[in-house]
Amino acid sequence: MHRVVQQHMKNFSKAHSLGLEEDKMFEAFSAYTLLRQHSNDKIDPEDLVHFGAEPGIDSMVFVVDDVVVLTTEEFEGEIKSGKKDKVVTIICVQAKTSESWNKGEINKFESAIADFFSNEEFKYPVGDRVVELRQIFDLAIENVGRIRNGKPDIECYFVTTGPKPEQAEILAAGSRVGAAAVSTGLFSTVRSELV
């Protein structure tokens, strides 16, 4: 892992009193950092990562306006309170501690996005947390009349500690992640980045 990123993670771990293994720490660090673009809610970084079976998406977070929701109950409370025109953003993160880019790992992320948002049973093995995330998404679809533009927004980030990618195959794989989300027709806006 890049030394500068490693030091940022040490500071992050100390600030939040985390005792995670390096790979889970990087997942939490990446998700927490990207989430800060949308919300300043006080969140336990360990709540942002999946433990156990996960389908190739390390972190998925729902933000209603600027409030992070982690459960179906929280989502229902936020979507039904106050104004009717809520901005719902789904943030998906796949984080790798590698200093290089791997096309196969990016393709796995794309496939996981397609599987999670399909209208079918999961093809990948998933844990209880991923099942609850699907239930939150189902609630978002059930409440599209309360969501700005009639659909949620989605942001997909594939993160490594390496330099900005320049290889054509990596850039193409990265663009496929966004295309997988667009092809569902479930989202108002789609943002997909290699970070």
Side-chain angles (χ1 to χ4, degrees):
M1 177 183 290
H2 192 278
R3 288 180 61 195
V4 172
V5 174
Q6 196 167 37
Q7 187 58 50
H8 279 299
M9 278 182 35
K10 284 180 185 177
N11 296 342
F12 175 76
S13 176
K14 186 176 179 181
H16 295 280
S17 303
L18 302 175
L20 300 171
E21 297 290 326
E22 183 178 83
D23 61 336
K24 286 296 180 189
M25 181 69 70
F26 186 62
E27 292 171 15
F29 175 70
S30 299
Y32 189 89
T33 303
L34 291 163
L35 178 61
R36 285 292 167 235
Q37 299 174 61
H38 297 279
S39 175
N40 287 319
D41 280 356
K42 185 173 171 65
I43 298 294
D44 180 348
E46 288 190 44
D47 290 340
L48 302 178
V49 294
H50 308 306
F51 295 91
E54 51 95 355
I57 303 170
D58 292 330
S59 177
M60 181 181 291
V61 181
F62 290 76
V63 181
V64 179
D65 286 336
D66 63 348
V67 177
V68 176
V69 294
L70 300 173
T71 66
T72 53
E73 293 79 15
E74 290 174 358
F75 185 87
E76 284 183 307
E78 286 302 319
I79 200 73
K80 293 180 178 172
S81 68
K83 65 179 181 152
K84 198 173 184 183
D85 192 27
K86 303 279 188 168
V87 176
V88 175
T89 305
I90 305 164
I91 302 164
C92 302
V93 179
Q94 179 70 8
K96 299 294 179 188
T97 57
S98 171
E99 290 187 46
S100 61
W101 295 91
N102 181 305
K103 179 179 174 265
E105 292 293 337
I106 299 170
N107 290 343
K108 180 179 173 185
F109 185 45
E110 171 200 349
S111 180
I113 295 288
D115 185 47
F116 184 91
F117 293 107
S118 75
N119 199 21
E120 302 173 10
E121 293 295 318
F122 291 114
K123 302 290 188 252
Y124 290 103
V126 297
D128 292 341
R129 180 66 186 137
V130 176
V131 171
E132 182 169 27
L133 289 166
R134 170 73 78 81
Q135 292 168 346
I136 296 171
F137 179 69
D138 291 343
L139 283 173
I141 297 303
E142 290 170 20
N143 287 280
V144 292
R146 299 190 67 86
I147 297 176
R148 183 174 294 165
N149 300 321
K151 296 178 186 178
D153 299 329
I154 189 169
E155 298 182 5
C156 305
Y157 300 98
F158 188 93
V159 183
T160 72
T161 65
K164 185 176 179 179
E166 297 179 0
Q167 309 93 316
E169 71 176 15
I170 299 300
L171 296 174
S175 72
R176 292 295 313 144
V177 173
V182 168
S183 71
T184 67
L186 297 170
F187 306 105
S188 178
T189 62
V190 174
R191 178 178 180 184
S192 178
E193 289 186 31
L194 300 174
V195 179

